[in-house]
Structures are given as C-alpha cells and as structure tokens.
Amino acid sequence: MTHKGKILIVEDEFIVANDLQQMLQKAGYVVCGIASSVHKARTLLQQQQPDWVLIDIILKGDYSGIDLGNELMQQHIPFLYISANTNQRTLEAAKLTRPHGFLVKPFREKDLFIMLDIARYKLQTEAGQDKSQKPLKAGNTSLQIADTGSHTEETLEKIKIVAPADTSVLITGESGTGKELAARAIHRLSRRSELPMVVVDCAALPVALIETELFGHEKGAFTGAGQRRVGKFEQANQGTIFLDEVGELSPDAQVKLLRVLQEKEVVRIGGDIPVKIDVRVIAATNRQLEKEVAEGRFRLDLYYRLSVFPIELVPLRERKRDIPLLANYFLKKYTEKNKAGVEKITESAMQQLMSYDWPGNIRELEHLIERHVLLATGKDISVFGLPSSNVVPGVEQAGRLKTMDEMERDHILAALRASKGKVSGPGGAAEMLGLPAQTLYSRIKRLGIKQVFK
C-alpha cells in the first residue's frame, strides 16, 4: 500500500485515538505516535517529525489543542482539528491558527479521509503559490477602488496572490462588505478574465429550480421544458462561476454541487451524457460556515472544497480610515452619473460619516451618498440624515455580543420598519438593503421574521 505520510495524533481519549489509528493505518497512513497532552506532543514532534498532526482541542494539562495549533502554525507544520467542542468562541479561536481542516466528533470514516484529501490539496496549493507562476498580462495587475471597495492591504494582497491560480476561493464577511466586488477583482486578474464570470445568487434559487438553473435540462425533461436549457455551470465554462450566499443552499443542493465540483462535469436534467466543464469557483457567504458545519447545516466536505483559499472581508466600522476615500469616490461616481452639481462633502458632514457604525457596510455608505447627491440643492453636502448611533452594533446592553443571525435580523427589521413593511419595489426594504427581493424574502423566512409592519 502506498505510504501517504506520517501522522501524529494528539488526543486524550484512548478509544478515540485508537479508532483513529486503525482507520489511518488501514488507509495507508503511518501513525508515528499518540500524545494525550501538548507536553507529550512536543516531544513526539521533535522525535518523529510528522507530516501531519491531528489535534483534539480539549486536552489534559495546562495547554489546549489551540495552544499547540499556534505553535504548529509558527513552525509551518500542517495540522487539523478533531473536536466535539463547537461553540462559536472556540471555533473563532481555532480559525486564527489557520488549520488545514476541522472535523467534528462524532464523525464517519469517510469524513476523515475527505478532510485529509482536501487538506493535502490545500497544502499543495499553498506550496504552488510560493513558486513563480505564469505572468499576468501587462497592465492587468492593478486594483482600483471600483474593483474592491477599498479593502485592506492584506485583502488586496490575497486577491493578487490567488487570482492567477485556479484555486477555489471562499469570501466571507458581513452583508455589504463588497464580496462580489472582491470576486470580480479575482476574475479580472485571472487568466480567465476574457471569459465570462457568471453570478449565481444561491439565496434566490427556489429549491425546485436549483438543478435546472445550475446544471440545465434537455428538451422534454419535464412539463414545460420546451427546449434545451444550458445551466449556469456550462455558461461559465472556461471562465468563473461566483456562488453568492452559498450558505443558503439546501442540503440536497449542497450534495448536487459537491458532485459537480468533484467530477468536474454536469448532467442536464433529462439527459444521460455528462458534460465536462472547466470552471473556476468563487463562493461567498455572510454566515460562519464553520458553525454551520458544526451544527449540521452545511456539509463538511463541500466546505473544504470551497474554502481552499479563504478571504475574510473586514466590516467598514473596523476600517473607518477608508470612509473619506470611499465617500469621495461615490460622490464623484453619482455626481457624474446624474449630472449633478455637487462638488464636495463638508468637513462636518464627513465627521458624521466617521462617527457612524455602518451596520450595512460599504453598500449602506454608497446608497447614502447616492441619495444625498440626488437630494442636494447646492454644491456641498453639509449634513447627512443618519440613524442615531449611540449603541455599538451587535452589543446588547448587558454586554453580550450578538450572533451574526441576530445582527442580520435586527438590520432587516430596521429596513422593514423604515419601508413600513414593503419588501420589493421602489422604497422597499430590499432596495434599501441592496438585495434582490427574492433573497430578502428567503432571509426573512430563515430568520423567522413576521411581516406585521403598518
């Protein structure tokens, strides 16, 4: 049997460690040791020099698996977490150590090997990015504010690194942080830039139509299928497909998507001939997919297929130094578009923007500037009509941080109140939030919001 690499198991439950050892050895891995504490793991690391380390988060002794993960990250030793602890704070702390995988107990043998295969692919991808790659076209490496929404330098650097590769990218961040802008920047800097980037809003896809939208159908496949339809994946062939709000996909849709990513082919509904596709996949979500995986709402194997190269976008309230640059960019954009005579934002008005916490992020700022350009009666914008911002968003009076779902629910409720319950059309909540109406309806249903506004 082919030797797949040396693995050190760091696990203080004997039965779990023994089961892991048998699974791994049967699959061709060499288990070079089992440690029940970080102290013992350090000794075995020096003695055995493993290729991979599997770590439980809760261990005997004074140090946790996350402490060991920090050490391994600094030593550039690849590792994966295996843990039954799935609370949000633990997941966030684990994520900071940049593991190559995270498996939740109890798990199936199949899950373990899928995770290891994807972790190995991620490691190979990272190694390939360190080597010189085919140069991009001259003049095609710059990123403008219109491309990126003025993201942080770290984010811009990640975009430039991953763009030339065909690696799958998972873009995460709150609503309105510019995830689609980042995806378009990656596509524009890629070797596929002359070919289409097809955008799919997963939240707006009705469950009954997901297959035909993504994979297409043959003529006569079902009642009403009067002609062949080419799905989104075939439309994106040789180019890029952007799966926006991928966390909204149903479990059945996740299975179908995973199959396409694994096989690199689609079968149209009503057809029996696989169609090979060559597509670069970029996905985005405002959900914490690690938490969704831990709670059984998102497939682990699909998560790791998509998040080979993760990019997290920072909310606007955490990078307020960018507000003047963004505000002036949007001022110029909408002044020119509407042939308005507005020339500047006054210092006091800019201070208003700097003092606000921007729950809707860049999208909210853009819509605010556009609205005030249209309403302006002179050359200056001297005051903005902003909601009162006396409370830090996401923090309740008792000091507890709200979850992302709670924050999203509050933000949607605020928009519904402002629109008097109207969701779609001019002046509706969907327009205020910069979302397709179908997407907003989907989120209202998921979050259990009752439309009772008058």
Side-chain angles (χ1 to χ4, degrees):
M1 185 178 288
T2 306
H3 169 34
K4 293 184 177 179
K6 291 165 61 177
I7 294 183
L8 171 63
I9 298 172
V10 185
E11 168 64 70
D12 61 1
E13 293 184 43
F14 172 78
I15 294 175
V16 176
N18 188 56
D19 286 348
L20 271 173
Q21 183 177 27
Q22 291 184 34
M23 290 180 203
L24 292 166
Q25 288 175 339
K26 186 171 66 174
Y29 291 93
V30 173
V31 177
C32 62
I34 296 175
S36 60
S37 67
V38 173
H39 177 71
K40 291 180 181 178
R42 288 170 179 157
T43 302
L44 287 171
L45 282 166
Q46 290 183 342
Q47 293 173 350
Q48 301 294 333
Q49 297 185 335
D51 301 307
W52 293 93
V53 184
L54 295 181
I55 313 172
D56 189 10
I57 289 180
I58 306 300
L59 297 168
K60 294 175 181 176
D62 297 330
Y63 297 97
S64 71
I66 293 176
D67 294 321
L68 180 60
N70 268 309
E71 295 176 18
L72 295 176
M73 178 178 65
Q74 293 166 12
Q75 297 171 40
H76 304 290
I77 299 172
F79 65 95
L80 307 93
Y81 288 119
I82 297 180
S83 179
N85 191 325
T86 60
N87 72 64
Q88 189 170 337
R89 184 173 295 180
T90 299
L91 288 169
E92 284 297 312
K95 187 177 176 182
L96 292 174
T97 63
R98 299 179 185 175
H100 285 75
F102 193 109
L103 191 60
V104 179
K105 299 177 186 175
F107 55 85
R108 300 170 302 172
E109 189 171 334
K110 178 183 176 183
D111 293 334
L112 172 66
F113 296 125
I114 287 173
M115 184 185 69
L116 284 166
D117 286 344
I118 295 170
R120 188 162 51 243
Y121 174 67
K122 288 177 73 174
L123 187 64
Q124 290 168 353
T125 301
E126 290 168 4
Q129 286 161 0
D130 291 335
K131 298 174 183 176
S132 59
Q133 301 204 35
K134 180 181 174 182
L136 293 167
K137 289 186 237 178
N140 197 34
T141 58
S142 64
L143 289 172
Q144 306 298 326
I145 187 171
D147 298 315
T148 65
S150 185
H151 291 309
T152 63
E153 287 300 318
E154 181 182 1
T155 298
L156 297 181
E157 190 59 34
K158 285 183 177 180
I159 289 172
K160 291 177 183 177
I161 288 170
V162 77
D166 277 338
T167 306
S168 296
V169 179
L170 179 64
I171 305 171
T172 59
E174 296 176 11
S175 293
T177 47
K179 295 187 285 293
E180 184 173 339
L181 289 173
R184 291 192 180 281
I186 292 169
H187 177 67
R188 188 174 69 78
L189 296 185
S190 75
R191 300 186 193 93
R192 299 172 182 258
S193 60
E194 301 299 320
L195 294 155
M197 172 173 147
V198 176
V199 178
V200 180
D201 183 353
C202 298
L205 286 178
V207 174
L209 297 179
I210 284 175
E211 279 193 85
T212 187
E213 284 291 321
L214 292 179
F215 316 129
H217 63 249
E218 297 289 355
K219 181 179 179 179
F222 50 83
T223 303
Q227 58 185 7
R228 170 186 285 179
R229 174 170 183 161
V230 174
K232 299 293 188 183
F233 272 92
E234 282 189 78
Q235 292 173 30
N237 193 35
Q238 303 295 318
T240 301
I241 191 165
F242 175 52
L243 303 173
D244 196 13
E245 301 302 352
V246 73
E248 305 290 335
L249 286 177
S250 68
D252 285 346
Q254 292 176 33
V255 172
K256 294 177 174 70
L257 174 58
L258 178 64
R259 189 180 302 126
V260 171
L261 298 181
Q262 289 173 332
E263 305 299 329
K264 299 187 186 303
E265 64 184 26
V266 296
V267 178
R268 301 188 194 106
I269 298 174
D272 53 11
I273 301 175
V275 179
K276 287 291 182 184
I277 53 169
D278 173 17
V279 176
R280 203 273 180 79
V281 178
I282 303 175
T285 182
N286 63 358
R287 293 197 186 194
Q288 290 186 311
L289 287 190
E290 295 95 337
K291 187 168 184 282
E292 298 293 306
V293 168
E295 296 179 359
R297 290 191 293 269
F298 200 84
R299 291 184 63 95
L300 175 79
D301 40 8
L302 177 58
Y303 169 69
Y304 282 113
R305 289 279 178 191
L306 295 173
S307 66
V308 174
F309 194 98
I311 297 177
E312 185 172 4
L313 303 186
V314 180
L316 188 56
R317 64 181 173 275
E318 293 181 16
R319 51 188 185 96
K320 289 192 173 183
R321 67 182 181 279
D322 292 336
I323 289 174
L325 176 66
L326 285 163
N328 286 315
Y329 167 74
F330 292 135
L331 178 72
K332 181 180 179 184
K333 173 182 175 179
Y334 289 107
T335 297
E336 292 176 353
K337 178 181 177 180
N338 296 289
K339 296 181 173 54
V342 185
E343 295 179 356
K344 70 174 183 177
I345 298 169
T346 65
E347 188 174 337
S348 61
M350 188 66 76
Q351 189 55 49
Q352 269 190 287
L353 301 182
M354 296 293 287
S355 300
Y356 184 58
D357 286 311
W358 300 107
N361 290 295
I362 296 171
R363 185 187 292 130
E364 184 181 8
L365 173 62
E366 180 174 4
H367 290 175
L368 180 80
I369 300 295
E370 180 181 14
R371 187 160 62 250
H372 281 76
V373 165
L374 293 172
L375 294 172
T377 56
K379 293 185 176 182
D380 298 347
I381 297 177
S382 57
V383 64
F384 287 103
L386 285 165
S388 60
S389 184
N390 298 324
V391 180
V392 178
V395 180
E396 295 182 342
Q397 293 199 354
R400 181 183 76 86
L401 278 174
K402 292 185 180 181
T403 66
M404 293 300 295
D405 277 354
E406 287 172 336
M407 290 181 66
E408 183 176 15
R409 190 175 191 278
D410 289 348
H411 195 48
I412 290 173
L413 283 168
L416 287 169
R417 290 190 190 99
S419 67
K420 295 187 169 82
K422 183 179 180 183
V423 175
S424 59
E431 181 184 76
M432 292 181 185
L433 296 170
L435 294 171
Q438 187 61 42
T439 300
L440 183 55
Y441 278 120
S442 173
R443 294 187 186 178
I444 287 171
K445 182 178 179 181
R446 176 174 66 81
L447 295 167
I449 295 171
K450 307 296 182 185
Q451 289 176 253
V452 295
F453 301 96
K454 301 291 184 184

